[in-house]
Amino acid sequence: MSAELTALQSRLGYEFRNPALLREALTHASFTTENPADGAHNQRFEFLGDAVLHFILTDALFRSSTPAEREGVLSRRRAILSKGGFLTQLARDLQLDTGLRLSKGEEETGGRTRASSLEDALEALVGAIYLDSDLPTTQRVVLAWYGSLTDRLALADDAENPKGRLQELVQPEHGNVALKYELLTTTGPRHAREFEVAVILHEETLGTGKGPSKKVAEEAAARAGLAFLRARQPGDAK
């Protein structure tokens, strides 16, 4: 086995008993088109790995949730953790690009760093590890890649859906209608307006935010509210 694949296994936290499974998981379809006698590509493993990954995340999220957290919340969390952009970043963290087997043409056109290639390879690796070991081992390895799911979700939600994240934090204790967003000021000419919005929990202002639209200002206020709650109750804000 090459030094690159040995180093990759170290980063993965898993050593393959059958190295052929690792090679297949890292083989792009373009490689087999160019080298038809050199084994199969990773699309079948990707199909399996996608299902295994969804189960691993579903199981972990269910076990870490409370009875008050409903199916919709858990489904949204799983979607965040399994979506393409997230998996691509995870693949980059593991430096999967160093082990990809690509055709010359795919290599020359940037296939080694292409998001779709990295996402597919990550899912294929999950499938390969499952085939090489068992479900408990695959769960241990994959969840180690993610680290704290709570921290991963907090970072993703803060960036992409701060209002939803804030609602999720306050809902168990305060209900679904306790938060409100109040427009404070509107300044600037018509073509360059700036809005300032406050997010209020009951009668307490959690934060304010500004932006070129009410929506952007509300999102900025929600991020400020998240930061405020974390600073005040760090143990409850994850």
Side-chain angles (χ1 to χ4, degrees):
M1 182 174 290
S2 70
E4 285 182 350
L5 290 184
T6 299
L8 175 57
Q9 288 183 103
S10 178
R11 291 193 297 274
L12 294 176
Y14 182 79
E15 183 175 350
F16 278 82
R17 294 178 293 180
N18 182 0
L21 295 174
L22 173 60
R23 286 193 296 272
E24 185 170 336
L26 296 171
T27 301
H28 190 267
S30 66
F31 183 89
T32 58
T33 300
E34 200 171 80
N35 305 274
D38 200 346
H41 56 69
N42 63 10
Q43 288 181 353
R44 279 174 56 83
F45 283 9
E46 177 196 347
F47 167 76
L48 175 63
D50 176 69
V52 174
L53 178 62
H54 269 71
F55 173 78
I56 290 172
L57 293 174
T58 299
D59 180 72
L61 290 168
F62 180 85
R63 292 179 186 277
S64 64
S65 67
T66 66
E69 293 173 316
R70 300 188 179 185
E71 177 189 359
V73 171
L74 298 179
S75 295
R76 184 177 63 80
R77 291 175 184 171
R78 184 182 62 192
I80 290 171
L81 294 170
S82 62
K83 68 180 181 179
F86 199 102
L87 297 185
T88 299
Q89 185 56 54
L90 202 57
R92 288 179 175 141
D93 292 344
L94 294 167
Q95 299 175 47
L96 294 193
D97 59 295
T98 62
L100 291 180
R101 304 170 80 205
L102 307 165
S103 69
K104 291 180 181 178
E106 187 71 15
E107 182 82 62
E108 290 171 357
T109 57
R112 190 165 296 278
T113 57
R114 187 168 291 127
S116 59
S117 299
L118 293 170
E119 177 191 348
D120 292 350
L122 184 77
E123 291 180 332
L125 270 172
V126 175
I129 292 170
Y130 173 74
L131 290 173
D132 194 61
S133 58
D134 51 35
L135 182 58
T137 300
T138 309
Q139 287 176 298
R140 173 183 58 79
V141 172
V142 170
L143 292 175
W145 298 348
Y146 276 86
S148 168
L149 296 185
T150 300
D151 290 346
R152 291 272 190 180
L153 286 165
L155 289 173
D157 275 349
D158 285 1
E160 297 183 12
N161 185 23
K163 292 178 66 176
R165 176 61 174 162
L166 184 59
Q167 178 67 35
E168 185 179 315
L169 283 177
V170 304
Q171 187 272 334
E173 183 177 351
H174 300 283
N176 291 320
V177 295
L179 281 177
K180 65 178 180 179
Y181 292 84
E182 183 176 302
L183 179 64
L184 299 179
T185 62
T186 303
T187 58
R190 184 179 296 274
H191 66 278
R193 287 281 172 85
E194 181 177 70
F195 299 87
E196 183 177 15
V197 169
V199 59
I200 300 168
L201 177 62
H202 298 304
E203 300 301 320
E204 180 181 17
T205 298
L206 301 182
T208 62
K210 295 181 179 181
S213 69
K214 291 180 182 179
K215 178 178 183 295
V216 173
E218 287 177 357
E219 290 174 345
R223 291 189 187 95
L226 285 166
F228 175 77
L229 289 179
R230 291 197 179 100
R232 187 171 68 179
Q233 297 178 313
D236 297 333
K238 292 184 178 182

